[in-house]
């Protein structure tokens, strides 16, 4: 098989359907033993220190307590993070846990409201 350039690889990915792209991501996760969601968390962690001297406009959303509706909290965690069921359950089981780093103020408040509506306790840092 001929080696593809990065541009050719990106063009090939653009032609995939959503279902095919999902299968590709799962196959890459299995082949290389990584999780696509973990890369997102690592990438988001890098931009945290830049706004330290300015007025705080970005917040870390931390799930501090799950509350009585664990299943509903897992659903909200999946919705706001894009994690799969297993990963979202692990996050909820591992509370206290940061769900989203460097979220805009409005987004952080929205996440907090959704989780608190399900009985969870959330802290914005």
């Amino acid at each position: 098989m001929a080696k593809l350039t990065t541009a050719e690889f990106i063009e090939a990915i653009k032609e995939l359907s959503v279902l095919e792209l999902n299968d590709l991501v799962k196959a890459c996760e299995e082949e290389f033993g990584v999780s696509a969601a973990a890369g997102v968390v690592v990438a988001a962690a890098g931009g945290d220190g830049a706004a330290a001297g300015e007025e705080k406009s970005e917040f870390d959303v931390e799930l501090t307590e799950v509350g009585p509706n664990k299943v509903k909290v897992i659903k909200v965690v999946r919705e706001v993070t894009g994690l799969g069921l297993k990963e979202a359950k692990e996050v909820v089981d591992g509370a206290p846990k940061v769900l989203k780093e460097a979220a805009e103020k409005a987004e952080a408040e929205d996440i907090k409201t959704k989780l608190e509506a399900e009985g969870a306790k959330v802290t914005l840092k």
Side-chain angles (χ1 to χ4, degrees):
M1 182 172 154
K3 187 173 181 178
L4 297 175
T5 65
T6 303
E8 292 170 333
F9 190 70
I10 300 269
E11 286 303 315
I13 290 174
K14 285 181 181 178
E15 294 175 11
L16 297 176
S17 70
V18 175
L19 222 47
E20 292 169 328
L21 185 56
N22 186 38
D23 290 341
L24 174 64
V25 171
K26 286 180 182 179
C28 288
E29 288 175 342
E30 290 175 14
E31 178 70 26
F32 300 109
V34 296
S35 172
V40 173
V41 173
V42 171
D48 196 272
E54 303 170 11
E55 181 182 331
K56 192 156 183 157
S57 63
E58 295 181 340
F59 297 87
D60 292 345
V61 181
E62 180 182 51
L63 176 65
T64 52
E65 288 183 34
V66 177
N69 300 322
K70 183 178 176 181
V71 173
K72 290 181 180 180
V73 171
I74 291 172
K75 287 181 182 180
V76 174
V77 169
R78 288 187 68 198
E79 175 188 332
V80 299
T81 62
L83 294 174
L85 180 60
K86 180 181 176 193
E87 291 85 4
K89 183 181 180 303
E90 289 172 356
V91 168
V92 171
D93 287 342
K97 196 83 156 179
V98 175
L99 297 178
K100 191 133 188 166
E101 294 181 344
E104 294 295 323
K105 185 175 183 177
E107 180 184 13
E109 289 291 338
D110 183 49
I111 294 170
K112 182 178 179 180
T113 303
K114 287 178 180 179
L115 286 165
E116 287 178 345
E118 300 303 340
K121 292 187 181 176
V122 179
T123 306
L124 299 181
K125 295 183 177 184

